[in-house]
Amino acid sequence: MSHQTVANDLNNTYPVIAVDEFQDCVGAQLEFVQTLHKQCHPLILAGDAFQSLEANEQAIDWALDLVTPIDLNTEHRFHNNDIVDAAHALRSNSPLLNDSPLLCIKGSFAIAVYESMYCKPVTLLSPIKNSLKTFLKQVADQSKKKKRAVPMWNRASSDRSIVDEIIAILTSQSSYQPEQHAASQLAPIVQRMVMRQSAYRALPANDESLIEHCATTTVHNARVYSRPTLARQAMTIHSAKNQEFPEVHVVWHVKGLPKKQYSEEHKRRLLYNAITRAVTTCKLIVIGTESETRGDPVLSLLAP
C-alpha cells in the first residue's frame, strides 16, 4: 500500500470500497482500512457499536472522529415484528409494555420439546459453550430415558478451527470425532488438492505449509459458495455473529454469566446479537424461575 503503483491500481479497480460490520475490525484489518483512508480512497463504513462484543471499540471511535455518521433506521431483514420489538427494548434499555412472545421461561419444558425434534432445522445459541453442552446433554438424557434416538446437532466452528482439525486429520494426529463434522467432510477434498499441488510444485505431500494452504482455501470456498445447511446447529453467540438463520432458539441461564466478567450492558449486547440472528422465528429459552427472570435487569426488559 505504500507504493503509489499499488494505490493507483486499487483506485482504478475499486472506485469505492464498502466495509460491512466495521465495528468488528481490529488489528491488521483496522490498520488496512486506515491505510486506505490515508490514500484518500473513497470508503463506505457500515457498523453498529451495540453489536460489538469486545471491550475495544477503536474502529467505531476512529470512524466517528472522521465524519458525522448517517443513521440507518429502516429494517429490511426481519419477518417478525416481535423480534424487532425485543431488539429495540434491549438496545434502548427500555422495557416492553407486555411480556415478549419470544420468552419461554419453562426450561424443563423446552428440553422435552427439543428431545422430540428429529427433523426440524433450527439454530441453537447460548452465550457460553458450557451452557450449550449442558442443555444438549439434558436433551440427550431425556431421549435415552424415553428410548428414542438422540437428536444430532452440528457444531458450528470458525474457519481457523476447521482448518486446524483438517490438518490434524491429514497428519494422523486426530481421528474422526462427531464434533469434527465439517472437518471430516472437507478433509478428503483437501487431501486431493494437496496431492495435485504437491506434484505440480514438486513438494512432499506431507508439507505442513502446503496442507494448511489447501485446507484454508477449501474451507473458505465451502463457506462462501456452499448453500446454507438446513441441519440443526448449535453454537455460541460469538460464533453466530454476522450470520443469519431462519429459526433461532437462545438458551439463556439466568445465573450462568458471572457478574465480574459480564456487565449489564454486555449481557444486553449478547442477547441482542442472539435474537437478531433470526429472520423469521426466535425463542428465548430461559433456564431459571419466573421470579429470577423478572428480577434480572436484562431479561426483565422482555418480561416486565
Side-chain angles (χ1 to χ4, degrees):
M1 291 293 295
S2 60
H3 294 278
Q4 191 59 43
T5 303
V6 175
N8 291 338
D9 286 345
L10 197 60
N11 281 314
N12 293 332
T13 306
Y14 305 101
V16 178
I17 294 179
V19 183
D20 197 12
E21 306 294 349
F22 183 62
Q23 76 278 352
D24 294 325
C25 279
V26 294
Q29 292 178 333
L30 180 57
E31 289 177 8
F32 180 70
V33 174
Q34 290 171 333
T35 302
L36 288 173
H37 171 69
K38 290 177 183 177
Q39 299 282 358
C40 298
H41 200 99
L43 299 174
I44 298 176
L45 306 177
D48 178 5
F50 196 73
Q51 288 191 43
S52 175
L53 297 179
E54 307 299 332
N56 186 354
E57 295 183 5
Q58 185 180 358
I60 296 294
D61 292 340
W62 174 76
L64 291 176
D65 287 339
L66 297 177
V67 295
T68 301
I70 299 174
D71 292 334
L72 304 178
N73 298 316
T74 305
E75 183 277 311
H76 296 281
R77 179 163 65 92
F78 301 113
H79 301 162
N80 186 332
N81 288 332
D82 294 332
I83 297 175
V84 177
D85 293 341
H88 177 72
L90 291 167
R91 188 183 185 92
S92 63
N93 201 21
S94 303
L96 296 172
L97 297 177
N98 300 301
D99 287 4
S100 171
L102 310 185
L103 203 61
C104 175
I105 300 175
K106 300 176 181 177
S108 58
F109 169 75
I111 291 172
V113 171
Y114 272 95
E115 175 266 330
S116 62
M117 289 173 58
Y118 297 112
C119 303
K120 188 176 179 64
V122 65
T123 300
L124 193 65
L125 303 180
S126 186
I128 51 180
K129 189 179 294 185
N130 287 341
S131 295
L132 208 55
K133 288 182 176 179
T134 300
F135 184 81
L136 292 180
K137 184 178 184 304
Q138 290 173 327
V139 173
D141 291 343
Q142 184 78 3
S143 299
K144 293 175 183 177
K145 189 175 180 180
K146 293 188 177 181
K147 297 182 179 180
R148 293 179 178 176
V150 176
M152 297 299 294
W153 294 80
N154 288 332
R155 184 197 67 179
S157 305
S158 66
D159 286 3
R160 182 66 248 181
S161 63
I162 296 176
V163 168
D164 290 340
E165 289 173 357
I166 291 173
I167 293 173
I169 291 172
L170 295 185
T171 56
S172 301
Q173 298 173 16
S174 172
S175 58
Y176 170 77
Q177 298 293 332
E179 63 269 17
Q180 293 178 332
H181 180 70
S184 299
Q185 283 189 333
L186 296 176
I189 301 174
V190 175
Q191 190 167 34
R192 289 193 292 270
M193 182 184 290
V194 168
M195 297 304 294
R196 290 195 301 269
Q197 291 289 327
S198 64
Y200 178 74
R201 300 184 182 186
L203 292 172
N206 60 351
D207 184 88
E208 291 186 4
S209 61
L210 176 61
I211 295 174
E212 181 174 0
H213 167 74
C214 294
T216 303
T217 302
T218 302
V219 170
H220 170 77
N221 290 341
R223 183 81 75 189
V224 173
Y225 300 112
S226 297
R227 289 181 297 175
T229 177
L230 291 179
R232 284 161 296 163
Q233 301 182 88
M235 66 185 83
T236 62
I237 296 171
H238 284 79
S239 297
K241 272 183 64 61
N242 306 333
Q243 301 185 64
E244 61 181 42
F245 312 95
E247 182 163 347
V248 170
H249 293 186
V250 185
V251 177
W252 191 276
H253 286 253
V254 178
K255 298 182 178 180
L257 298 174
K259 291 183 179 180
K260 290 183 179 180
Q261 294 178 255
Y262 296 88
S263 65
E264 182 181 326
E265 181 177 343
H266 194 178
K267 290 180 182 179
R268 286 197 293 118
R269 292 189 182 201
L270 273 170
L271 194 50
Y272 175 87
N273 272 277
I275 65 174
T276 54
R277 297 311 95 208
V279 176
T280 56
T281 306
C282 181
K283 285 293 180 185
L284 175 57
I285 303 161
V286 179
I287 309 299
T289 65
E290 183 169 349
S291 61
E292 288 174 335
T293 301
R294 297 189 186 279
D296 184 87
V298 174
L299 294 176
S300 61
L301 297 172
L302 308 182

